[in-house]
Amino acid sequence: MSQLTSLSTIQQALRDGSTTMVDVVQSYINRTKETDHLNIYVEVFEEEAFAKAKALDEKLEKDPSSVGQLFGAVASIKDVLCYKDHKLTAASNILGSFTAQFTATAVQRILDEDAIIIGRTNCDEFAMGSTNEHTRYGPTLNGLDESRVPGGSSGAAAVSVERDTCLIGVGSDTGGSVRQPAAFCGIYGMKPTYGRISRYGLIAYGSSFDQIGLLTKDIDTMSVALSIMSGSDPMDATCLNVEAPGLASADQESKYKIAYIPEVMNHPGLKPEIKMGCEETLEKLKKQGHSCEAIEFDLLSYLVPTYYVLTTAEASSNLSRYDGIRYGHRADDVKDLEELYERSRSEGFGTEVKRRIMMGTFVLSVGYFDAYFTKAQQVRTLIIKRLTEVFSEYDFIVLPTTTDIAWPSGEMIKDPISMYLADVYTVLANLGGYPAISIPKSSDNLAMPYGVQVMSDKCTEEKLLSFAKQL
Ligand code: GLN
């Protein structure tokens, strides 16, 4: 199995008969057992995965042309994605033992192309967090160094891929939750253009920021999965009605105009080795004939505050539906409706989610709405305006994914403000709705991998992934 780390090698092996889908699933299941202590999965769909594998082996034997484009692909899904008749909790007690009533469009699309879903991965509660420690299931550990966090909120999705328990991790990215764990775990993580993939069946955090994203060890696998998941959906009015991105090419010839932001590179919190790594990447690109230019971007210090004002506002509104009546957990022995709401929510939500509900309701309250929410919307407009200008001139922006390598466990729990500030490089793409990918890098002087991030114009994922391949 060790060499079977890309979709094409697995498909090749299945077609030439050197392996079967049942064997592929068996080896992933073995890996889930060997890595049980990392707390990657909140549920493994073992029996179901084997049954599907068997059916797919028979399908291939009967008619090799009948199998779907993701035949051979085994995927994990983050515990925020609906999969009909399977439990779904967003790692929150408030959802109790809720069972999904339908399947998310993105999940359905990969199932229709013969992917197998191996299980649900742990995450930060309602995708709020950067460490995968804010979860009812207990923290997920980083597979490369168990004393460190895997990042978050799709931390376990990243470890599921990094530890070879599946081929594709399906996560969600509101402000970096796919790219940051990818960087912390040394794999690829991408967030597509806002609206590229339907959000139908994705539990909402910040609806104008949320996008389903992908984690893989190679670009081609990511590219196939992305093109299958993309495309308009009558169930999500914000889903773009544009053609799905084509597959990443091996193009080495195209020369691009690349921008970088000096304020980003000189950020006081940025680890020097990561800065050096990004500079080396830019140097390499110059040598390959691309142009790399510094651009002005004077909104850097507004990114994190704008992101947290707007996402907490949206989150507090989205989470109001968890009232103890319609879903999941309901408090016992209550005397009236008010107490039912209050106690169900107090018992059901964890600390980080409560913090965000409080911030969100504060910035939306009558007295502060204009000072915070309206202001943040205005700043968001400025950010979008500036990014539109940049992408009318440049093909890509290159920047680090994170300021640091994976943190030691427990460090950020004590200091939520530092955790928020660390999102400075990833929230930019979500504020603007742009696609971005984290490309894994390592340095002899760093104990852990890090990521170089590339952002591109809206709906240019094919170009972005081809460029990532070049890199
Ligand atoms: N760390 C960010 C937050 O907590 C990003 C989360 C995400 O992208 N879901 O909001």
Side-chain angles (χ1 to χ4, degrees):
M1 240 333 259
S2 57
Q3 73 283 19
L4 298 183
T5 49
S6 76
L7 182 59
S8 57
T9 51
I10 295 174
Q11 288 182 339
Q12 181 71 41
L14 288 164
R15 286 190 186 277
D16 68 24
S18 55
T19 190
T20 64
M21 207 53 227
V22 169
D23 285 343
V24 171
V25 166
Q26 182 66 63
S27 84
Y28 285 133
I29 291 286
N30 293 347
R31 297 284 294 161
T32 65
K33 292 187 175 149
E34 286 158 30
T35 55
D36 194 42
H37 64 290
L38 299 176
N39 203 14
I40 304 171
Y41 288 92
V42 300
E43 190 183 357
V44 174
F45 309 138
E46 180 169 344
E47 221 174 279
E48 196 183 309
F50 276 120
K52 288 206 169 160
K54 200 162 159 271
L56 286 174
D57 281 332
E58 285 161 13
K59 192 171 172 185
L60 179 74
E61 201 183 313
K62 248 197 222 138
D63 178 6
S65 68
S66 68
V67 294
Q69 290 179 69
L70 285 176
F71 171 59
V74 172
S76 67
I77 55 172
K78 183 179 178 180
D79 192 28
V80 289
L81 285 155
C82 294
Y83 186 13
K84 191 173 190 307
D85 299 331
H86 294 75
K87 290 211 161 58
L88 174 69
T89 70
S92 179
N93 282 323
I94 197 117
L95 274 161
S97 54
F98 180 76
T99 299
Q101 315 284 300
F102 60 89
T103 300
T105 302
V107 174
Q108 191 58 53
R109 285 188 179 159
I110 62 169
L111 287 170
D112 291 346
E113 289 296 332
D114 289 338
I116 291 177
I117 312 280
I118 193 167
R120 305 187 271 144
T121 48
N122 199 357
C123 57
D124 286 298
E125 187 178 355
F126 285 103
M128 297 172 193
S130 308
T131 60
N132 214 140
E133 293 172 301
H134 300 281
T135 147
R136 74 184 263 190
Y137 302 106
T140 296
L141 311 182
N142 192 313
L144 298 170
D145 175 348
E146 294 173 17
S147 71
R148 293 175 190 267
V149 299
S153 62
S154 317
V159 186
S160 77
V161 172
E162 189 277 319
R163 288 286 98 182
D164 296 318
T165 70
C166 63
L167 185 70
I168 301 168
V170 185
S172 65
D173 190 311
T174 306
S177 275
V178 161
R179 288 159 289 152
Q180 183 255 28
F184 280 8
C185 294
I187 60 171
Y188 292 97
M190 92 112 32
K191 174 207 104 68
T193 309
Y194 180 77
R196 184 56 113 170
I197 299 179
S198 166
R199 289 181 294 114
Y200 180 63
L202 166 68
I203 291 185
Y205 161 15
S207 310
S208 75
F209 293 78
D210 297 339
Q211 257 302 280
I212 290 172
L214 291 160
L215 296 125
T216 59
K217 282 192 172 174
D218 75 299
I219 296 285
D220 289 325
T221 303
M222 176 179 281
S223 178
V224 176
L226 173 72
S227 84
I228 286 163
M229 284 181 168
S230 302
S232 69
D233 177 11
M235 303 308 282
D236 174 5
T238 62
C239 193
L240 299 169
N241 191 8
V242 291
E243 221 178 289
L247 299 186
S249 68
D251 165 34
Q252 300 284 327
E253 301 308 314
S254 302
K255 298 293 171 237
Y256 294 114
K257 276 191 84 175
I258 295 154
Y260 64 92
I261 306 168
E263 287 87 341
V264 160
M265 303 297 242
N266 298 322
H267 191 277
L270 178 60
K271 227 182 175 54
E273 292 85 352
I274 300 182
K275 177 182 174 181
M276 249 166 62
C278 289
E279 285 169 351
E280 275 165 25
T281 302
L282 288 166
E283 275 311 309
K284 198 174 116 195
L285 288 167
K286 263 193 215 160
K287 283 205 188 100
Q288 291 171 354
H290 304 283
S291 84
C292 297
E293 287 172 26
I295 55 160
E296 234 175 87
F297 188 81
D298 49 17
L299 296 160
L300 192 66
S301 57
Y302 299 106
L303 299 182
V304 170
T306 307
Y307 170 81
Y308 276 96
V309 168
L310 296 177
T311 53
T312 54
E314 291 186 20
S316 72
S317 161
N318 276 325
L319 295 174
S320 63
R321 75 191 67 175
Y322 304 102
D323 53 8
I325 293 176
R326 284 171 291 185
Y327 315 90
H329 175 72
R330 179 179 301 173
D332 296 326
D333 300 325
V334 290
K335 62 175 186 314
D336 57 23
L337 189 62
E338 195 153 328
E339 192 186 337
L340 172 75
Y341 289 152
E342 198 179 304
R343 285 219 354 249
S344 302
R345 285 169 67 83
S346 300
E347 290 164 13
F349 289 129
T351 319
E352 183 56 33
V353 172
K354 282 180 189 158
R355 191 156 31 229
R356 304 216 185 183
I357 293 174
M358 304 234 329
M359 282 201 277
T361 44
F362 174 78
V363 301
L364 288 175
S365 61
V366 178
Y368 295 99
F369 188 87
D370 280 340
Y372 292 100
F373 187 74
T374 308
K375 253 299 164 262
Q377 293 281 40
Q378 288 166 337
V379 178
R380 188 180 196 182
T381 303
L382 291 178
I383 294 165
I384 295 171
K385 213 171 135 223
R386 182 63 189 126
L387 287 174
T388 310
E389 282 166 17
V390 172
F391 285 119
S392 68
E393 234 187 288
Y394 296 90
D395 297 292
F396 303 110
I397 303 178
V398 170
L399 70 170
T401 309
T402 58
T403 52
D404 207 343
I405 54 170
W407 304 297
S409 299
E411 203 170 83
M412 287 295 156
I413 293 211
K414 293 180 277 187
D415 188 358
I417 303 286
S418 292
M419 182 178 90
Y420 301 160
L421 289 172
D423 291 331
V424 58
Y425 299 142
T426 47
V427 297
L428 179 61
N430 307 72
L431 280 160
Y434 289 84
I437 184 167
S438 177
I439 298 168
K441 291 263 172 201
S442 60
S443 152
D444 291 344
N445 301 322
L446 287 176
M448 296 292 283
Y450 64 96
V452 169
Q453 194 185 180
V454 186
M455 261 175 80
S456 68
D457 203 358
K458 289 184 183 160
C459 296
T460 59
E461 284 88 349
E462 182 180 341
K463 184 168 116 181
L464 178 64
L465 291 181
S466 305
F467 180 63
K469 249 175 114 166
Q470 235 192 74
L471 263 179

